[in-house]
Every structure is written in structure tokens, then in C-alpha cells.
Amino acid sequence: MSPAPGKTRLRHGVPRILGALAFAALLGGLVAGIRDLPRLGDPASPAATHVSPRFIEAAARETGAANMVTAVLADYRGYDTLGETAVIFAAGLGCLIILALAAADRRETPPPGLTHRFGSPILDVSARVLTPWILMFALYVLIHGHVSPGGGFQGGVLFGSGLVVVRLVRGRRGPAFGPGPRAALVLACAGVLAFLGIGFLAMAFGGEFLDYGTLPLGGDEAHVRELATLGVEAAVFAAVAGTVCVLFATISAGVRETEAARSAGSASPPGSDG
Amino acid sequence: MIPPPGVIGVGLLAVMLVAATAALFARDLLVAAALFGVFSFAAATWFALVGAVDVAFTEACVGGALSTILFVSAAHRTRRWLD
């Protein structure tokens, strides 16, 4: 890849060497910091001697989740997961804002030569056959996250990808499949709010924020925690799936107009039929 | 301590290295996206091999599927070829 001269220079005359120096300094600092970390897999590190045994011993008994990773992510470290969900949602919002603004800047209609979908029968049939299974597997991953790898995050990504892949193959002229951008945004918001709501519900029933043990769901505490964990995973699922749909919608709607307008003047090189 | 990677591990790491480098130099953006998918699935297999099954699953979903889909849809909106 050898970009044309003049395209690589940053604006306002900032020399590239400054960026390279800053990058080298940051990299050097990070590499130097590695020496202070405990060695990978060191059985004598604090995490291995204090934290992990506690989780390994008590996770199944306290939370009813055979998959310890789910117990840690959704219950013990629920606060972290809430933050991550909010970050993903915020990233989707940022993408939406930036790309929608870019699209609003250029409202030219795309030239008629560009087709906005992949027009192959193989892709079409593959999408038709695979998509129902992808969506069902996503729900399985969400529900079965207690006992097998997976959970709300992976399930949400799979579900969103399954919806998006149909749109990618069928294009805009195909049938409207899955939630539209607005509905997807509402779904993502609802997911984040549901996560927060479960946390506050726990507080309302006398527990700590995101400490599900006090929720009045019936049964012993481990069972209650299991149900609440499933609720949290479903909230993450909705947030992630909605964000994925929003991301795809902004990319396919926003960038299309800008890029199409930019490339309208120049002829495509031979072989670019996509 | 982590055990040495073994033949399969070394092979996977080599695939990741080659795919990542090739993706940098690919002039066709669709090829670059596909190579990035190859990188992600090799990384996911490697994670599963060393016992991090949940991480492997996430890498396969996010890196292998979702990122590739988003890259392809973005490349699809361009002229696809780097000049």
C-alpha cells in the first residue's frame, strides 16, 4: 500500500514525526510497564491466590451458574458489565451522531451505476438458509449462558449480525428485515435502562445496587440470583443487538451517500463490480 | 505457567501473523476484510486452545462475524479498490 503523496500529511502542518514519537513513547511506556505485572499464569500472583479460589469455590453455590464466567460477569462484577454495556451503547450513539452528521452534510443522490447490495444467488440462498439458525442459536446462547460459554453479549452480537447479514445481502430494495434504525435505537436504550432498572430494583428491596439476592422472585437465594442474572443477560442482549443494528444502519445509510458522492466523478477500475 | 504453544498453536499464531500482514497490504478492501476475519477465527481457535472458551466465543462473534460484516458493508459503500 503506497498512498499518493500529499494524502498522508496531516492537516495544519503537523509533522508525522511528532505522531511517530508520541506513539513510540507510549509504546515504550507500556512495554516497560509489563515488567511490573505478575507473570502470566503465575500461581503466586494475588489474583490467583485470593480472588480466583473464592469464585471457583463459591460461584456455583451462590449464584446457581455452572459457567463461572457468567457468574463473575453478571453477578460478582455486575457493575463492570453495566459499564461495558453503557460504553457499547455510547459507541453506537457516537457512530450514529458522526455518520448522520456526515450524511446530512452531503445530500446528493448516489449515481445510478452503484448497486447497493450483493447480487449473487449463492449469497441470497445462504442468507435465507442460515439466518433462522443464527437467530435461534443467538437465543440459545443467551439462555444457556449459565451452563455453557456465552451469554447476553455474545448472543446479542450473534442476533444483531444475523439480522444485519440479511440486509447486507438483500440490500435496501429487499424486504425490511428486523427492526429499523429507530426501533433498534429504542431496543438498545431499553436494554441499558433494564440493566440499570434491575440494579435499582435490588436497592428498592433492601439490597445493594446490582446485588440481586434480595429480589422477591421466590426460591432460595441462588435461584433468585440465577433468574436475575438471566434478566441482566437479556438486557445486555437487547442493548448489544440494538447497537449492532444501529451501527449497520448508520454505516449503510450515512457513508453510502458521502462515499458515493465522492466517487461519483472518477471511473471505477476494471474488475470492481461490487 | 502457560505451556509452550505446540505445533497447532505455532501454526495458528503464524496464520494470524500472515493474515494480519496480508490484510495491511491488500488493495482490495473486501480481501482485507476477509483476511481480518481469518485473523479473528485463528485468534478464537487459539484462545479456545489455551482454555479461554468464553473469550474465544466472543472473539469469534465480534471479530470474526460482526467486525467482518461491518467492514464488508463499509467497503461495499466505497469503490472497493485502493488506488
Side-chain angles (χ1 to χ4, degrees), chain A residues 51-77:
Chain A
V51 183
S52 302
R54 167 71 175 74
F55 288 152
I56 291 169
E57 184 219 342
R61 171 163 45 83
E62 286 181 349
T63 67
N67 181 11
M68 224 171 291
V69 178
T70 298
V72 171
L73 285 181
D75 197 333
Y76 291 120
R77 310 298 297 268

Side-chain angles (χ1 to χ4, degrees), chain A residues 149-150 154 248 252 259 266 272, chain B residues 53-54 58 73 76-77 79 81:
Chain A
Q154 292 94 329
F248 179 75
S252 62
E259 292 291 341
S266 55
S272 79
Chain B
V53 189
D54 276 87
T58 310
S73 65
H76 190 48
R77 306 305 181 208
R79 278 173 296 156
W81 298 87

Side-chain angles (χ1 to χ4, degrees), chain A residues 31 158 178 253 263:
Chain A
V31 170
L158 274 176
S263 63

Side-chain angles (χ1 to χ4, degrees), chain A residues 37-45 48, chain B residues 1-5 50:
Chain A
L37 291 173
R39 288 199 58 170
L40 278 177
D42 184 2
S45 69
Chain B
M1 293 298 138
I2 291 180
V50 295

Side-chain angles (χ1 to χ4, degrees), chain A residues 76-97:
Chain A
Y76 291 120
R77 310 298 297 268
Y79 207 81
D80 286 355
T81 308
L82 175 62
E84 283 162 17
T85 311
V87 163
I88 289 168
F89 177 64
L93 280 188
C95 198
L96 178 66
I97 291 168

Side-chain angles (χ1 to χ4, degrees), chain A residues 211-274:
Chain A
D211 185 12
Y212 319 123
T214 53
L215 289 175
L217 295 172
D220 57 348
E221 191 180 330
H223 184 62
V224 170
R225 284 184 181 277
E226 196 177 343
L227 288 176
T229 302
L230 185 60
V232 166
E233 296 278 1
V236 174
F237 182 96
V240 172
T243 304
V244 167
C245 289
V246 168
L247 276 180
F248 179 75
T250 51
I251 287 177
S252 62
V255 175
R256 179 171 74 183
E257 277 153 33
T258 60
E259 292 291 341
R262 200 172 299 151
S263 63
S266 55
S268 298
S272 79
D273 54 351

Side-chain angles (χ1 to χ4, degrees), chain A residues 31 34 37 46 52 83 101 109 125 131 135 143 149 177 182 197 201 203 209 212 222 225 227 259:
Chain A
V31 170
I34 289 177
L37 291 173
S52 302
L101 286 179
T109 50
V125 171
T131 301
L135 298 184
I143 295 165
F177 188 75
R182 279 171 200 280
L201 263 186
M203 282 176 85
F209 182 62
Y212 319 123
R225 284 184 181 277
L227 288 176
E259 292 291 341

